[in-house]
């Protein structure tokens, strides 16, 4: 069922076993899995069924460090959450993303990928995905990868009718859980503001924070300040190790043999480093994207390449008579970010939202390993194109000359990860291998804030797989 506000919820007499805070991809997936296992849950959404600027205002904040998007533009606060502007790109984290890599500080999950692999089929069903094709070797350093451009799932639209008809899910709209209350290592209730009015508390045996890759940290940080007992008993890492996928255009490429690799109908193709290349060069995981240009832009690129790269001129001259098969492209890269303690979500000491909750201060900077991954990765990719005679690549000046990152480019993927990271040690993480907050008996976290490292993959598919897994785990605890 779907109700508007906490008072309407109370009149239903609905008794949830689990309160899930946040109705985005993680929360809706979790609620649907719990319902399938006969576990009743309340699903709180701070917004309504449609976008509202008043509700969206809560997401305002500021970023300290590198240039970043306006925080209230990077997320959406209504039923379905940020899936409302998701582009639909999907891929699961690679198996090696879970491994400890000595050259990447703070890497290594407490689980391997096989912990979520049993839930891949369910995740593909949720997102409407076909199976992923295996990686294809292009060279010892570079693989072609299958990053699926699916029909974007707007969770609030796709699952609205199912949620409305469910007897085991009660969606409570316009109900903002401002903080959690704890007693003796148990969360006893969530304080809520409903339809912009303080509205008491909601209680249940279990709670799950599923409010997003920034808001999960914000909720738990404020709860620790407000509650008599800490909601996160060891808060050393709370809000810390926050990550994005930095993303920038890095150069041009002329492709003579596009048949050398699979590609989309529009010529778009994705590539990633092999484990061998990452270890040899001590870089992180990344993907490089080829995006074809219009023909007129290709002709200009040929001229530019002959001026900027004289050693390529002979190759270009050799294309005489083949020019109709030569395609100009822009190449961009996105990469996993090193999980650093100082990249963090913090609470503002000055600014508060309408409910009195401190707004977010996001501290975010790219480090030396980010720069090395981008520059070495771009060179590896360009070298592969040349050695395999697939094409030639020219790096942009800012990459070649180690200039600052451009401020008019992509910047990032709008992918918010970390802050409540998974770790077997409560000093270096917030949740354990089952997504339960260390030291708490009934508090869990869902979503990409649990990511220990981020890989390069768009996070939605992995978020859904982890949420399916958490649903099964919670049902086992309850039943």
């Amino acid at each position: 069922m779907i109700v508007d506000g906490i008072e309407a919820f109370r009149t239903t007499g609905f008794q949830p076993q689990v309160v899930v805070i946040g109705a985005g991809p993680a929360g809706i997936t979790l609620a649907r899995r719990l319902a399938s296992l006969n576990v009743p849950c309340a699903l709180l959404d701070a917004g309504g069924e449609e976008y509202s600027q008043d509700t969206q205002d809560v997401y305002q904040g500021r970023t300290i460090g590198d240039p970043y998007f306006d925080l209230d533009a990077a997320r959406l606060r209504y039923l379905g959450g940020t899936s409302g502007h998701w582009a639909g790109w999907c891929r699961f984290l690679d198996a090696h993303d879970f491994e400890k890599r000595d050259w990447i500080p703070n890497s290594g999950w407490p689980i391997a990928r096989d912990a979520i692999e049993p839930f891949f089929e369910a995740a593909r069903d949720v997102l409407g995905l076909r199976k992923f094709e295996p990686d294809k070797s292009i060279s010892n350093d570079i693989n072609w990868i299958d990053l699926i451009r699916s029909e974007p799932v707007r969770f609030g639209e796709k699952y609205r009718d199912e949620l409305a008809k469910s007897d085991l899910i009660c969606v409570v709209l316009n109900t903002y859980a401002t903080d959690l209350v704890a007693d003796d290592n148990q969360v006893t209730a969530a304080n809520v503001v409903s339809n912009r009015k303080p509205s008491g508390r909601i209680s249940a045996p279990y709670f799950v924070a599923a409010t997003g890759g920034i808001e999960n940290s914000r909720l738990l940080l404020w709860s620790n300040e407000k509650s008599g007992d800490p909601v996160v008993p060891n808060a050393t890492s709370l809000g810390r190790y926050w990550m994005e996928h930095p993303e920038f255009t890095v150069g041009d490429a002329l492709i003579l043999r596009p048949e050398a690799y699979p590609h989309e109908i529009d010529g778009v193709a994705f590539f990633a480093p092999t484990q061998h290349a990452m270890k040899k060069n001590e870089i992180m995981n990344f993907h490089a994207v080829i995006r074809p240009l219009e023909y007129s832009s290709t002709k200009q690129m040929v001229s530019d390449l002959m001026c900027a790269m004289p050693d390529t001129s002979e190759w270009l001259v050799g294309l005489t008579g083949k020019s109709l098969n030569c395609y100009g492209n822009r190449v961009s890269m996105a990469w996993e970010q090193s999980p650093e303690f100082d990249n963090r979500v913090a609470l503002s000491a000055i600014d508060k939202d309408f409910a009195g909750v401190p707004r977010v201060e996001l501290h975010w900077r790219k480090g030396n390993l980010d720069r090395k991954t981008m520059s070495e990765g771009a060179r590896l990719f360009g070298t592969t194109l040349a050695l395999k005679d697939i094409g030639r690549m020219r790096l942009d000046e800012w990459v070649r000359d180690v200039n600052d990152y451009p401020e008019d480019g992509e910047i990032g993927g709008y992918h918010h990860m970390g802050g409540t990271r998974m770790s077997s040690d409560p000093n270096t993480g917030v949740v354990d291998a089952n997504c339960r907050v260390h030291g708490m008996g009934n508090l869990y976290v869902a979503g990409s804030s649990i990511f220990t490292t981020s890989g390069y993959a768009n996070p939605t598919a992995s978020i859904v797989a982890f949420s399916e897994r958490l649903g099964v785990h919670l049902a086992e605890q309850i039943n």
Side-chain angles (χ1 to χ4, degrees), residues 210-408:
T211 60
I214 291 178
E215 292 299 305
N216 277 345
S217 294
R218 182 188 186 212
L219 170 64
L220 297 180
L221 285 164
W222 184 233
S223 297
N224 259 18
E225 290 195 22
K226 289 274 289 180
S227 181
D229 280 0
V231 169
V232 180
N234 187 336
T236 303
S237 297
L238 179 56
R240 302 281 182 168
Y241 304 102
W242 192 86
M243 300 167 289
E244 239 279 15
H245 286 138
E247 183 174 344
F248 294 91
T249 298
V250 295
D252 303 311
L254 282 172
I255 302 299
L256 177 62
R257 296 194 303 113
E259 70 277 5
Y261 52 83
H263 49 77
E264 300 281 331
I265 192 170
D266 58 3
V268 173
F270 292 83
F271 304 84
T274 62
Q275 286 182 267
H276 161 79
M278 286 186 281
K279 185 174 183 179
K280 177 183 69 174
N281 295 281
E282 296 191 341
I283 58 176
M284 299 180 288
N285 213 349
F286 67 84
H287 73 243
V289 190
I290 287 179
R291 300 184 189 278
L293 293 167
E294 297 293 331
Y295 180 65
S296 59
S297 299
T298 298
K299 289 196 296 182
Q300 182 62 51
M301 182 191 296
V302 171
S303 175
D304 292 345
L305 280 169
M306 292 186 74
C307 293
M309 301 173 64
D311 57 340
T312 302
S313 297
E314 184 177 347
W315 178 78
L316 289 168
V317 171
L319 297 180
T320 303
K322 303 177 183 178
S323 60
L324 292 178
N325 296 319
C326 184
Y327 300 95
N329 303 265
R330 289 293 276 159
V331 178
S332 62
M333 285 182 59
W335 61 91
E336 73 171 309
Q337 188 170 23
S338 176
E340 301 290 346
F341 185 78
D342 287 338
N343 282 340
R344 69 193 190 277
V345 177
L347 300 178
S348 171
I350 302 170
D351 296 326
K352 297 184 177 181
D353 66 22
F354 79 94
V357 179
R359 295 190 185 275
V360 165
E361 286 185 351
L362 178 64
H363 298 252
W364 183 62
R365 288 180 173 85
K366 298 178 288 295
N368 293 335
L369 190 52
D370 292 294
R371 185 78 194 202
K372 181 180 180 182
T373 296
M374 182 276 300
S375 58
E376 291 297 320
R379 289 181 172 88
L380 281 175
F381 184 57
T383 299
T384 287
L385 293 179
L387 287 176
K388 298 300 179 179
D389 204 29
I390 295 170
R392 297 294 187 272
M393 180 176 170
R394 178 192 64 176
L395 297 179
D396 285 348
E397 183 179 354
W398 73 270
V399 179
R400 299 194 306 269
D401 298 342
V402 198
N403 295 329
D404 289 340
Y405 293 93
E407 294 189 15
D408 58 349

